[in-house]
Amino acid sequence: MTTVKAFKAVRPNKDFASEVSCLPYDVMDRDEAKMMAAGNEYSFLRVVRSEIDLSDDISAYDESVYLKAKENLDNFIKDGILIQDNKECFYLYEETMDGRVQTGICALCSVEDYNNGKIKKHEFTLPKKEIDRINNFLYCRAHTEPVFFINRDDDELNRIIMDHKQNAPVYDFVSDDGIKHRFWVIDCDDTIQKITDIFDRTDALYIADGHHRTASSAKVSEQLGGKNAGYIMAVIFPESQVKIMDYNRLLMDTGEYTAEEFIDKLGEDFIIEKKEEHIYKASATHEFAMYIEGAWYSLTAKDGTFDANDPVERIDAQIMQKNIFDKILGIKDPKTTDRLKFVGGIRGYGYLKDAVDDKKATAAFALYPVEVKDLLDVADAGMVMPPKSTWFEPKLRSGLFVHMI
């Protein structure tokens, strides 16, 4: 049993939806956020990355940043850029990228479910990043950004979603990155109750993207107390509609080995085949594409290099970390080393090739994307994915719904 709740969202006046909406706070640095918001006084980056409205010499974690976020949010509401619904609703949020559609339900999920393990995680969080969102939420007295959750497919819920999408959307726009966004309000009491009942019989929800925002919501609940604080604002997508992209690596050096020696060492655990293609892509699980010294190679993990019965050990990022970066190069912790750079699959293989050709990296490693089922299996086992295993696209836009605490 999981608890979801309808809520009175604070959301854009329909005339400002495309201007308000922005990418989530954690996919850009300060300079990029400032550039994205340039010339747009209504960008929600002024709430989730409010340091862009302050001097560059002020730390992004200074109290003045969170006070500015509160000021900007209050002004958006006062000026009618953001409005609040009069009754508690659920919301449908649809994103279309490269012809692929994913539609989720925006709702409040229970912090108690998170604490009890019914909302399952697959990665660890960093306290410093938690504190930043805790402060943003506390000063704004709002959950300012949703989290990306997954639920296992439910036929009745999928029918409700498809039926409601026959209505005209409240918002319908294409963002600068070419992704189409549509939004519906579910305010029918009977439908709200049906959705609530469906999730009440759902065994678990899964965090896809936004572990720090989820953990921060739980900490905010602890600090504020009260019934209205005990929630996490999330968009919940059916498993079948979610796609995970590859999450690739740039290697800065091959340590004590020449490129030729390094390739020879790889042969201990991988079947190596040199490729003639201008761009070669990994085509299956446990196969990797490597680019080094102007050439692509296929690396296929040999039998015995991983435990196929272990949900974490069989993940390609773990196979790569264990048998290449740790075993050959002595890189023990991929999260803290400066010898690896992680590259989301949205950038494409050409980005990896160019980085090596331009001498910004020594080698590139591209992975076959993780299946959603693998992520859910890891979470169900109470384990965590290897670092930087999953890259989700499209990202949820921020600013389309806010939950006032």
Side-chain angles (χ1 to χ4, degrees):
M1 292 174 53
T2 57
T3 299
V4 303
K5 185 178 182 298
F7 69 108
K8 298 177 182 178
V10 170
R11 56 186 181 84
N13 179 316
K14 65 180 180 179
D15 295 330
F16 297 97
S18 62
E19 291 177 83
V20 170
S21 78
C22 68
L23 288 170
Y25 83 102
D26 56 350
V27 301
M28 81 275 298
D29 61 26
R30 185 175 189 154
D31 290 339
E32 290 169 331
K34 186 176 292 188
M35 188 181 306
M36 289 176 183
N40 181 3
E41 61 183 310
Y42 303 133
S43 171
F44 206 69
L45 287 172
R46 303 191 185 282
V47 175
V48 296
R49 294 298 297 264
S50 50
E51 66 269 23
I52 65 176
D53 284 339
L54 302 174
S55 172
D56 288 344
D57 60 1
I58 294 176
S59 166
Y61 308 108
D62 189 83
E63 183 182 24
S64 61
V65 172
Y66 307 111
L67 290 170
K68 188 65 176 177
K70 171 64 171 171
E71 176 188 338
N72 288 342
L73 178 60
D74 288 348
N75 285 337
F76 284 168
I77 295 171
K78 176 174 66 70
D79 295 340
I81 307 304
L82 298 178
I83 57 176
Q84 186 168 30
D85 286 314
N86 293 322
K87 66 169 293 185
E88 295 180 343
C89 306
F90 287 122
Y91 305 89
L92 291 186
Y93 179 31
E94 175 196 271
E95 298 176 290
T96 304
M97 176 181 173
D98 298 332
R100 184 180 63 84
V101 178
Q102 62 181 33
T103 309
I105 293 177
C106 184
L108 299 184
C109 300
S110 168
V111 166
E112 184 177 354
D113 284 349
Y114 175 70
N115 291 335
N116 291 339
K118 293 180 183 178
I119 295 175
K120 300 188 178 186
K121 53 191 175 183
H122 67 263
E123 69 178 43
F124 295 120
T125 56
L126 300 173
K128 182 177 180 180
K129 291 184 70 174
E130 284 185 28
I131 291 169
D132 172 53
R133 287 304 94 179
I134 289 169
N135 285 332
N136 182 270
F137 293 171
L138 283 175
Y139 279 79
C140 289
R141 281 297 191 269
H143 296 121
T144 53
E145 290 185 298
V147 185
F148 187 153
F149 281 2
I150 297 173
N151 68 289
R152 294 192 182 274
D153 280 79
D154 183 287
D155 290 341
E156 182 182 1
L157 183 60
N158 290 345
R159 281 195 299 272
I160 290 173
I161 291 173
M162 293 306 297
D163 287 347
H164 198 82
K165 284 171 59 174
Q166 303 307 308
N167 302 317
V170 177
Y171 310 142
D172 187 344
F173 65 93
V174 177
S175 50
D176 291 342
D177 51 9
I179 296 169
K180 183 178 179 64
H181 305 269
R182 298 202 298 169
F183 181 103
W184 294 262
V185 177
I186 299 177
D187 57 6
C188 170
D189 290 337
D190 286 346
T191 306
I192 289 172
Q193 189 60 53
K194 287 178 182 177
I195 293 171
T196 303
D197 291 344
I198 289 169
F199 281 103
D200 188 53
R201 67 173 188 247
T202 298
D203 292 334
L205 298 173
Y206 301 83
I207 305 171
D209 207 5
H211 282 76
H212 287 93
R213 274 163 280 171
T214 305
S216 297
S217 295
K219 299 286 178 59
V220 166
S221 176
E222 291 175 9
Q223 293 188 40
L224 291 182
K227 185 169 63 173
N228 200 38
Y231 294 98
I232 301 154
M233 183 175 65
V235 184
I236 309 165
F237 291 92
E239 173 188 358
S240 60
Q241 294 190 25
V242 175
K243 180 180 179 181
I244 302 175
M245 297 187 74
D246 42 311
Y247 209 157
N248 304 313
R249 277 81 167 135
L250 290 173
L251 175 66
M252 300 300 109
D253 66 80
T254 53
E256 64 186 88
Y257 302 104
T258 65
E260 184 177 351
E261 291 169 340
F262 179 61
I263 294 170
D264 286 342
K265 290 291 291 182
L266 290 170
E268 296 176 6
D269 293 306
F270 298 89
I271 299 168
I272 303 174
E273 184 179 350
K274 190 173 183 178
K275 299 294 182 178
E276 299 302 324
E277 289 92 332
H278 177 69
I279 296 289
Y280 179 75
K281 295 188 175 184
S283 59
T285 304
H286 308 330
E287 182 202 3
F288 308 88
M290 178 181 70
Y291 185 71
I292 188 170
E293 299 243 314
W296 286 99
Y297 296 83
S298 167
L299 310 177
T300 302
K302 293 180 179 178
D303 292 341
T305 55
F306 62 93
D307 182 354
N309 295 316
D310 187 301
V312 173
E313 290 296 316
R314 65 174 180 248
I315 299 293
D316 283 350
Q318 180 68 7
I319 294 171
M320 176 178 286
Q321 171 58 32
K322 178 180 175 181
N323 295 287
I324 300 177
F325 301 133
D326 186 356
K327 181 177 178 179
I328 299 176
L329 299 174
I331 300 173
K332 302 293 184 184
D333 187 350
K335 301 188 299 297
T336 59
T337 183
D338 57 5
R339 298 174 67 189
L340 290 174
K341 179 181 177 181
F342 299 94
V343 181
I346 192 67
R347 292 185 179 270
Y349 277 51
Y351 178 91
L352 301 175
K353 181 179 184 298
D354 290 345
V356 176
D357 288 343
D358 295 341
K359 309 300 182 185
K360 296 177 181 177
T362 297
F365 292 85
L367 292 74
Y368 191 75
V370 173
E371 298 289 341
V372 174
K373 178 183 180 300
D374 292 326
L375 183 153
L376 302 187
D377 287 346
V378 169
D380 281 338
M383 305 170 80
V384 297
M385 297 284 283
K388 309 298 184 183
S389 300
T390 56
W391 183 273
F392 289 91
E393 288 286 348
K395 301 296 184 185
L396 305 184
R397 299 294 281 192
S398 297
L400 295 180
F401 10 68
V402 175
H403 171 236
M404 304 305 295
I405 304 174

